[in-house]
């Protein structure tokens, strides 16, 4: 394979077609169903599917025998399914998603979730990096192989529309399409992160998650706080007490040992090496306010905290008026949304049940406490890397980034990887992505680092070609 030619082809396709497509894609507010329950009525999801489908169809003639279908199971988000025939009886699955996180506040002047802005190497806007580019990057890789006649195994591209809601529709599609998907020996996922933009980062683990709505109710209606305080326990105070059952308020450490696993020794070693490579970028990639410092200065501990330990985020609140309309009222109830990341090898569903009992048992003062579980997903720990893939990854990182590859766990969750890991225990995984420092998926000012998008596409092409070669060798 001619890597310079591959580079030219992929870069050109990104500049001429992919970036303009992503600009249009960013304009579409196709929020994941959890954030837009009326998604079907609104039609944004269909618009995003249409955009990707239309572009992909123009590329199919260059991939002989390739087919595309938008699969729609009744009452579920759609899924784009593309099959590209190969020259061996083996399958590569390439995965991505097209649904988006909600807007979030705090976008800088001139930027916004649905306002695409190109600034230097970056394309700002919601969903470009997480994960709109995946279908384009995957197809770019396969097109680049065909452009120079490099053989590959049969490839299946699956782009779902429910990932940001925990992929609850996806298992139905995997079952529905089981015969057509076959048995992949390599799974490529472009929805993950990178520690920096200087090398290829392979994701070795993903955390699972669970969460839901915690509500504490103390009164049938709000009352004068001067009248009631000291008599009626505050729902906010009870909520704080309940949260303290789960999390140490001083340190942020999750208390119950049931929510931990033994971290494999190899992952601890890799965390140490990541901490060395990244240095203080482990934490100063976050937009801290002046004077603020991280949970600890121990970089390895920080890496392990965000990849192998349970951690809590409170992501929403209800039952409280906004500040300008807050009177002196002892409010009847307080609700918060909890998002609990759990270790890669812990069952998300079991963790959720455990947390539900922990929060609901023995409510202080007999308050009405409910924890409504919302979504759960188990994490994923990569199987032992095959020597061919380790070699392919090392070569690809050198070829396209000019530096060695790095390995790190990610703190986020991709529920599909857990599902696939269980279904195809023998498959190898290439999980990587463009979500590097400041790219801020899920937050304001999300951007796609275009050079990294290009390089990741080239890496996929390279690795898919090596996958074929080692299969051909037997
Ligand atoms: Zn994503």
């Amino acid at each position: 394979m001619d890597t310079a030619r591959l580079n030219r082809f992929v870069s050109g396709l990104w500049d001429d077609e992919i970036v303009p497509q992503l600009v249009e894609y960013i304009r579409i507010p196709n929020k994941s169903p959890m954030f837009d329950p009326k998604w079907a009525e609104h039609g944004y999801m269909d618009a995003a599917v249409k955009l990707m489908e239309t572009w992909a169809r123009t590329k199919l003639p260059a991939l002989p025998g390739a087919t595309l279908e938008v699969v729609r199971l009744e009452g579920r988000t759609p899924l784009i399914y593309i099959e590209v025939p190969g020259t061996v009886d083996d399958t590569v699955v390439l995965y991505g998603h097209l649904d988006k996180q909600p807007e979030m506040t705090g976008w800088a002047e001139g930027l916004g979730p649905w306002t695409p802005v190109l600034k230097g190497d970056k394309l700002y806007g919601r969903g470009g990096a997480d994960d709109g580019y995946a279908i384009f990057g995957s197809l770019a890789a396969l097109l680049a192989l065909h452009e120079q006649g490099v053989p590959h195994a049969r490839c299946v591209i699956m782009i779902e529309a429910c990932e940001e809601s925990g992929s609850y529709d996806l298992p139905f599609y995997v079952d529905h399409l089981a015969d057509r998907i076959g048995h992949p020996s390599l799974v490529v996922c472009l929805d993950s992160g990178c520690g920096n933009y200087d090398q290829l980062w392979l994701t070795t683990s993903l955390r699972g998650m669970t969460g839901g709505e915690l509500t504490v109710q103390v009164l049938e209606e709000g009352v004068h706080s001067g009248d009631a305080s000291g008599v009626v326990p505050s729902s906010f105070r009870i909520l704080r007490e309940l949260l303290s059952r789960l999390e140490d308020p001083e340190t942020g450490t999750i208390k119950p040992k049931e929510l931990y696993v033994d971290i494999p020794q190899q992952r601890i070693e890799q965390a140490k090496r990541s901490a060395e490579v990244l240095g203080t970028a482990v934490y100063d990639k976050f937009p801290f306010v002046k004077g603020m410092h991280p949970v600890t200065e121990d970089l390895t501990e920080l890496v392990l905290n965000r990849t192998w330990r349970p951690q809590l985020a409170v992501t929403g609140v209800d039952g409280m008026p906004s500040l300008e309309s807050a009177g002196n009222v002892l409010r009847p109830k307080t609700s918060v949304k909890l998002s609990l990341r759990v270790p890669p090898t812990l069952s998300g569903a079991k963790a959720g049940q455990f947390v539900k009992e922990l929060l609901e048992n023995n409510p202080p003062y007999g308050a009405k406490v409910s924890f409504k579980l919302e979504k759960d997903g188990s994490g994923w720990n990569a199987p032992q890397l095959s020597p061919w893939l380790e070699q392919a990854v090392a070569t690809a990182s050198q070829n396209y980034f000019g530096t060695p590859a790095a390995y790190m766990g990610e703190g986020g969750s991709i529920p599909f990887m857990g599902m696939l890991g269980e279904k195809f225990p023998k498959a190898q995984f290439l999980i990587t992505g463009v979500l590097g420092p400041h790219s801020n998926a899920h937050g304001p000012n999300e951007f796609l680092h275009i050079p990294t998008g290009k390089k990741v596409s080239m890496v996929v092409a390279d690795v898919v070609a090596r996958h074929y070669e080692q299969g051909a060798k037997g």
Side-chain angles (χ1 to χ4, degrees), residues 97 130-131 163-164 191:
H97 68 89
D130 181 16
D131 183 40
E163 199 275 343
E164 302 292 3
D191 187 31

Side-chain angles (χ1 to χ4, degrees), residues 35 54 104 181 195 206 212 222 240 242 275 279 302 388 402 409 419 451 458:
F35 312 107
T54 304
M104 255 310 270
I181 296 170
L206 295 155
R240 285 202 310 180
L242 293 174
L302 289 176
W388 79 263
M419 275 178 232
M458 297 172 207

Side-chain angles (χ1 to χ4, degrees), residues 192 202-208 267 270 306-308 343-345 379-382 407-414 431:
S192 196
L202 218 66
T203 301
T204 53
S205 65
L206 295 155
R207 282 192 292 186
R267 297 295 180 239
Q270 287 170 339
R306 73 178 275 282
T307 55
W308 277 90
T345 49
W380 174 81
N381 184 30
Y407 294 83
M408 187 165 68
E410 275 297 331
S413 312
I414 309 173
I431 302 189

